[in-house]
mmCIF file of all heavy atoms in Angstrom:
data_model
loop_
_atom_site.group_PDB
_atom_site.id
_atom_site.type_symbol
_atom_site.label_atom_id
_atom_site.label_comp_id
_atom_site.label_asym_id
_atom_site.label_seq_id
_atom_site.Cartn_x
_atom_site.Cartn_y
_atom_site.Cartn_z
ATOM 1 N N GLN A 1007 -97.193 74.193 19.228
ATOM 2 C CA GLN A 1007 -96.258 73.649 20.162
ATOM 3 C C GLN A 1007 -95.341 72.534 19.566
ATOM 4 O O GLN A 1007 -94.149 72.526 19.821
ATOM 5 C CB GLN A 1007 -96.986 72.974 21.360
ATOM 6 C CG GLN A 1007 -97.266 73.963 22.471
ATOM 7 C CD GLN A 1007 -98.032 73.237 23.536
ATOM 8 O OE1 GLN A 1007 -98.558 72.183 23.345
ATOM 9 N NE2 GLN A 1007 -98.134 73.975 24.623
ATOM 10 N N ASP A 1012 -90.230 70.731 17.300
ATOM 11 C CA ASP A 1012 -89.427 70.254 16.178
ATOM 12 C C ASP A 1012 -88.241 71.162 15.870
ATOM 13 O O ASP A 1012 -87.115 70.656 15.654
ATOM 14 C CB ASP A 1012 -90.264 70.240 14.901
ATOM 15 C CG ASP A 1012 -91.272 69.051 14.898
ATOM 16 O OD1 ASP A 1012 -91.066 68.198 15.815
ATOM 17 O OD2 ASP A 1012 -92.085 69.015 14.021
ATOM 18 N N GLN A 1014 -86.701 73.085 18.148
ATOM 19 C CA GLN A 1014 -85.720 72.883 19.181
ATOM 20 C C GLN A 1014 -84.879 71.630 18.937
ATOM 21 O O GLN A 1014 -83.678 71.647 19.102
ATOM 22 C CB GLN A 1014 -86.371 72.805 20.559
ATOM 23 C CG GLN A 1014 -86.609 74.171 21.076
ATOM 24 C CD GLN A 1014 -87.521 74.089 22.392
ATOM 25 O OE1 GLN A 1014 -87.930 73.071 22.757
ATOM 26 N NE2 GLN A 1014 -87.712 75.236 22.988
ATOM 27 N N MET A 1031 -62.220 66.856 14.498
ATOM 28 C CA MET A 1031 -61.131 67.684 13.969
ATOM 29 C C MET A 1031 -59.935 67.627 15.015
ATOM 30 O O MET A 1031 -58.801 67.508 14.683
ATOM 31 C CB MET A 1031 -61.618 69.153 13.871
ATOM 32 C CG MET A 1031 -60.494 70.153 13.737
ATOM 33 S SD MET A 1031 -61.015 71.834 14.072
ATOM 34 C CE MET A 1031 -61.074 71.875 15.847
ATOM 35 N N VAL A 1032 -60.289 67.786 16.355
ATOM 36 C CA VAL A 1032 -59.271 67.766 17.405
ATOM 37 C C VAL A 1032 -58.473 66.471 17.335
ATOM 38 O O VAL A 1032 -57.236 66.487 17.382
ATOM 39 C CB VAL A 1032 -59.926 68.029 18.769
ATOM 40 C CG1 VAL A 1032 -58.857 67.811 19.884
ATOM 41 C CG2 VAL A 1032 -60.391 69.465 18.868
ATOM 42 N N VAL A 1046 -54.389 73.771 24.500
ATOM 43 C CA VAL A 1046 -54.709 74.161 23.149
ATOM 44 C C VAL A 1046 -55.814 73.267 22.574
ATOM 45 O O VAL A 1046 -56.681 73.685 21.909
ATOM 46 C CB VAL A 1046 -53.436 74.160 22.284
ATOM 47 C CG1 VAL A 1046 -53.680 74.293 20.751
ATOM 48 C CG2 VAL A 1046 -52.410 75.220 22.800
ATOM 49 N N ALA A 1049 -59.049 74.263 23.984
ATOM 50 C CA ALA A 1049 -59.541 75.604 23.413
ATOM 51 C C ALA A 1049 -60.094 75.287 21.937
ATOM 52 O O ALA A 1049 -61.182 75.766 21.583
ATOM 53 C CB ALA A 1049 -58.394 76.573 23.276
ATOM 54 N N THR A 1080 -59.057 85.262 4.665
ATOM 55 C CA THR A 1080 -59.353 83.967 5.052
ATOM 56 C C THR A 1080 -59.239 83.734 6.538
ATOM 57 O O THR A 1080 -58.537 84.498 7.235
ATOM 58 C CB THR A 1080 -58.252 82.917 4.456
ATOM 59 O OG1 THR A 1080 -56.963 83.395 4.812
ATOM 60 C CG2 THR A 1080 -58.387 82.855 2.901
ATOM 61 N N PHE A 1089 -51.334 75.245 15.832
ATOM 62 C CA PHE A 1089 -49.870 75.208 15.794
ATOM 63 C C PHE A 1089 -49.332 76.529 16.327
ATOM 64 O O PHE A 1089 -48.403 76.478 17.217
ATOM 65 C CB PHE A 1089 -49.404 74.997 14.338
ATOM 66 C CG PHE A 1089 -47.951 74.780 14.206
ATOM 67 C CD1 PHE A 1089 -47.380 73.521 14.261
ATOM 68 C CD2 PHE A 1089 -47.120 75.873 14.096
ATOM 69 C CE1 PHE A 1089 -45.999 73.356 14.156
ATOM 70 C CE2 PHE A 1089 -45.703 75.738 14.060
ATOM 71 C CZ PHE A 1089 -45.157 74.476 14.039
ATOM 72 N N LEU A 1103 -50.885 89.867 21.960
ATOM 73 C CA LEU A 1103 -51.240 90.762 20.831
ATOM 74 C C LEU A 1103 -51.307 89.860 19.561
ATOM 75 O O LEU A 1103 -50.369 89.075 19.295
ATOM 76 C CB LEU A 1103 -50.101 91.799 20.683
ATOM 77 C CG LEU A 1103 -50.268 92.672 19.397
ATOM 78 C CD1 LEU A 1103 -51.543 93.523 19.485
ATOM 79 C CD2 LEU A 1103 -49.037 93.597 19.278
ATOM 80 N N GLY A 1108 -59.072 89.228 11.320
ATOM 81 C CA GLY A 1108 -59.919 88.451 10.334
ATOM 82 C C GLY A 1108 -61.237 88.215 10.930
ATOM 83 O O GLY A 1108 -61.932 89.143 11.275
ATOM 84 N N TYR A 1111 -61.785 84.231 14.912
ATOM 85 C CA TYR A 1111 -61.625 82.866 15.368
ATOM 86 C C TYR A 1111 -60.337 82.637 16.182
ATOM 87 O O TYR A 1111 -60.331 82.102 17.291
ATOM 88 C CB TYR A 1111 -61.755 81.895 14.228
ATOM 89 C CG TYR A 1111 -61.509 80.415 14.580
ATOM 90 C CD1 TYR A 1111 -62.434 79.773 15.347
ATOM 91 C CD2 TYR A 1111 -60.351 79.779 14.253
ATOM 92 C CE1 TYR A 1111 -62.278 78.437 15.746
ATOM 93 C CE2 TYR A 1111 -60.099 78.440 14.541
ATOM 94 C CZ TYR A 1111 -61.081 77.776 15.317
ATOM 95 O OH TYR A 1111 -60.842 76.479 15.679
ATOM 96 N N ALA A 1114 -60.453 84.139 19.501
ATOM 97 C CA ALA A 1114 -61.254 83.375 20.457
ATOM 98 C C ALA A 1114 -60.461 82.265 21.080
ATOM 99 O O ALA A 1114 -60.552 81.979 22.278
ATOM 100 C CB ALA A 1114 -62.561 82.918 19.661
ATOM 101 N N VAL A 1115 -59.689 81.579 20.193
ATOM 102 C CA VAL A 1115 -58.842 80.461 20.718
ATOM 103 C C VAL A 1115 -57.803 81.044 21.713
ATOM 104 O O VAL A 1115 -57.673 80.432 22.810
ATOM 105 C CB VAL A 1115 -58.185 79.709 19.506
ATOM 106 C CG1 VAL A 1115 -57.075 78.777 20.045
ATOM 107 C CG2 VAL A 1115 -59.169 79.032 18.621
ATOM 108 N N GLU A 1122 -55.601 88.078 28.577
ATOM 109 C CA GLU A 1122 -56.114 89.233 27.854
ATOM 110 C C GLU A 1122 -55.589 89.217 26.373
ATOM 111 O O GLU A 1122 -54.316 88.887 26.224
ATOM 112 C CB GLU A 1122 -55.653 90.586 28.514
ATOM 113 C CG GLU A 1122 -56.312 91.758 27.965
ATOM 114 C CD GLU A 1122 -55.798 93.053 28.665
ATOM 115 O OE1 GLU A 1122 -54.717 92.968 29.375
ATOM 116 O OE2 GLU A 1122 -56.427 94.051 28.555
ATOM 117 N N ARG A 1128 -56.762 95.755 10.013
ATOM 118 C CA ARG A 1128 -56.707 96.972 9.199
ATOM 119 C C ARG A 1128 -58.028 97.214 8.412
ATOM 120 O O ARG A 1128 -58.297 98.383 8.109
ATOM 121 C CB ARG A 1128 -55.514 96.928 8.208
ATOM 122 C CG ARG A 1128 -55.617 95.778 7.225
ATOM 123 C CD ARG A 1128 -54.440 95.749 6.303
ATOM 124 N NE ARG A 1128 -54.400 96.834 5.293
ATOM 125 C CZ ARG A 1128 -54.976 96.699 4.128
ATOM 126 N NH1 ARG A 1128 -55.759 95.702 3.776
ATOM 127 N NH2 ARG A 1128 -54.864 97.754 3.281
ATOM 128 N N LEU A 1140 -67.429 88.112 18.807
ATOM 129 C CA LEU A 1140 -66.666 87.744 20.014
ATOM 130 C C LEU A 1140 -67.503 88.105 21.262
ATOM 131 O O LEU A 1140 -67.576 87.376 22.256
ATOM 132 C CB LEU A 1140 -65.275 88.383 20.054
ATOM 133 C CG LEU A 1140 -64.293 87.853 19.029
ATOM 134 C CD1 LEU A 1140 -63.145 88.800 18.763
ATOM 135 C CD2 LEU A 1140 -63.796 86.475 19.514
ATOM 136 N N ALA A 1163 -48.507 97.977 25.292
ATOM 137 C CA ALA A 1163 -47.298 97.101 25.498
ATOM 138 C C ALA A 1163 -46.935 97.243 26.985
ATOM 139 O O ALA A 1163 -47.312 98.183 27.656
ATOM 140 C CB ALA A 1163 -46.198 97.567 24.553
ATOM 141 N N PHE A 1165 -46.272 93.034 25.811
ATOM 142 C CA PHE A 1165 -47.036 91.787 25.677
ATOM 143 C C PHE A 1165 -46.108 90.605 25.909
ATOM 144 O O PHE A 1165 -44.940 90.629 25.641
ATOM 145 C CB PHE A 1165 -47.521 91.714 24.185
ATOM 146 C CG PHE A 1165 -48.527 92.771 23.914
ATOM 147 C CD1 PHE A 1165 -48.077 93.938 23.167
ATOM 148 C CD2 PHE A 1165 -49.804 92.736 24.227
ATOM 149 C CE1 PHE A 1165 -48.952 94.969 22.885
ATOM 150 C CE2 PHE A 1165 -50.696 93.745 24.022
ATOM 151 C CZ PHE A 1165 -50.251 94.878 23.292
ATOM 152 N N ALA A 1167 -46.835 87.687 24.590
ATOM 153 C CA ALA A 1167 -46.832 86.862 23.326
ATOM 154 C C ALA A 1167 -47.442 87.683 22.256
ATOM 155 O O ALA A 1167 -48.390 88.519 22.454
ATOM 156 C CB ALA A 1167 -47.652 85.653 23.519
ATOM 157 N N ALA A 1172 -50.636 87.068 9.249
ATOM 158 C CA ALA A 1172 -50.474 87.318 7.847
ATOM 159 C C ALA A 1172 -48.950 87.348 7.537
ATOM 160 O O ALA A 1172 -48.163 87.550 8.504
ATOM 161 C CB ALA A 1172 -51.083 88.757 7.604
ATOM 162 N N PRO A 1180 -40.873 97.002 15.880
ATOM 163 C CA PRO A 1180 -41.691 97.348 16.955
ATOM 164 C C PRO A 1180 -42.298 96.196 17.812
ATOM 165 O O PRO A 1180 -42.518 96.381 18.973
ATOM 166 C CB PRO A 1180 -42.893 98.066 16.246
ATOM 167 C CG PRO A 1180 -42.369 98.489 14.908
ATOM 168 C CD PRO A 1180 -41.303 97.471 14.619
ATOM 169 N N GLN A 1184 -41.950 95.790 21.875
ATOM 170 C CA GLN A 1184 -43.197 95.675 22.627
ATOM 171 C C GLN A 1184 -43.377 94.279 23.373
ATOM 172 O O GLN A 1184 -44.369 94.057 23.951
ATOM 173 C CB GLN A 1184 -44.380 95.947 21.811
ATOM 174 C CG GLN A 1184 -44.459 97.421 21.302
ATOM 175 C CD GLN A 1184 -45.518 97.644 20.201
ATOM 176 O OE1 GLN A 1184 -46.534 97.061 20.186
ATOM 177 N NE2 GLN A 1184 -45.181 98.593 19.338
ATOM 178 N N PRO A 1199 -45.392 86.722 -1.313
ATOM 179 C CA PRO A 1199 -46.611 87.145 -0.505
ATOM 180 C C PRO A 1199 -47.461 85.927 -0.081
ATOM 181 O O PRO A 1199 -48.289 86.077 0.781
ATOM 182 C CB PRO A 1199 -47.325 88.108 -1.422
ATOM 183 C CG PRO A 1199 -46.643 88.107 -2.745
ATOM 184 C CD PRO A 1199 -45.406 87.268 -2.697
ATOM 185 N N SER A 1210 -34.783 87.243 25.462
ATOM 186 C CA SER A 1210 -34.193 87.006 26.721
ATOM 187 C C SER A 1210 -33.243 88.133 26.975
ATOM 188 O O SER A 1210 -32.068 88.175 26.386
ATOM 189 C CB SER A 1210 -33.450 85.604 26.663
ATOM 190 O OG SER A 1210 -32.732 85.420 27.831
ATOM 191 N N GLU A 1217 -36.154 80.391 16.194
ATOM 192 C CA GLU A 1217 -36.420 78.995 15.788
ATOM 193 C C GLU A 1217 -37.305 79.042 14.569
ATOM 194 O O GLU A 1217 -38.152 79.882 14.478
ATOM 195 C CB GLU A 1217 -37.180 78.190 16.862
ATOM 196 C CG GLU A 1217 -36.341 78.078 18.165
ATOM 197 C CD GLU A 1217 -37.258 77.761 19.395
ATOM 198 O OE1 GLU A 1217 -37.830 78.766 19.913
ATOM 199 O OE2 GLU A 1217 -37.416 76.563 19.764
ATOM 200 N N PHE A 1219 -40.001 76.674 11.887
ATOM 201 C CA PHE A 1219 -40.853 75.464 11.977
ATOM 202 C C PHE A 1219 -41.514 75.054 10.657
ATOM 203 O O PHE A 1219 -42.638 74.569 10.613
ATOM 204 C CB PHE A 1219 -42.092 75.780 12.920
ATOM 205 C CG PHE A 1219 -41.651 76.075 14.319
ATOM 206 C CD1 PHE A 1219 -41.690 77.377 14.819
ATOM 207 C CD2 PHE A 1219 -41.298 75.072 15.190
ATOM 208 C CE1 PHE A 1219 -41.358 77.673 16.089
ATOM 209 C CE2 PHE A 1219 -40.903 75.313 16.497
ATOM 210 C CZ PHE A 1219 -40.987 76.590 17.027
ATOM 211 N N PHE A 1224 -49.928 82.065 4.069
ATOM 212 C CA PHE A 1224 -50.900 83.067 4.599
ATOM 213 C C PHE A 1224 -51.197 84.131 3.567
ATOM 214 O O PHE A 1224 -50.420 84.299 2.653
ATOM 215 C CB PHE A 1224 -50.178 83.718 5.826
ATOM 216 C CG PHE A 1224 -50.142 82.879 7.068
ATOM 217 C CD1 PHE A 1224 -49.204 82.004 7.277
ATOM 218 C CD2 PHE A 1224 -51.136 83.010 8.098
ATOM 219 C CE1 PHE A 1224 -49.179 81.168 8.408
ATOM 220 C CE2 PHE A 1224 -51.110 82.264 9.222
ATOM 221 C CZ PHE A 1224 -50.185 81.306 9.396
ATOM 222 N N GLU A 1230 -45.433 98.336 5.855
ATOM 223 C CA GLU A 1230 -44.013 98.503 5.749
ATOM 224 C C GLU A 1230 -43.147 97.273 6.094
ATOM 225 O O GLU A 1230 -42.058 97.173 5.696
ATOM 226 C CB GLU A 1230 -43.583 99.730 6.661
ATOM 227 C CG GLU A 1230 -44.114 99.747 8.050
ATOM 228 C CD GLU A 1230 -45.520 100.421 8.205
ATOM 229 O OE1 GLU A 1230 -46.440 100.077 7.495
ATOM 230 O OE2 GLU A 1230 -45.659 101.205 9.153
#
Side-chain angles (χ1 to χ4, degrees):
Q1007 267 177 350
D1012 284 351
Q1014 276 172 355
M1031 168 198 77
V1032 168
V1046 171
T1080 55
F1089 186 91
L1103 173 63
Y1111 175 70
V1115 170
E1122 188 180 17
R1128 62 185 285 275
L1140 288 160
F1165 296 99
Q1184 292 168 35
S1210 174
E1217 296 161 278
F1219 298 106
F1224 283 83
E1230 50 275 45

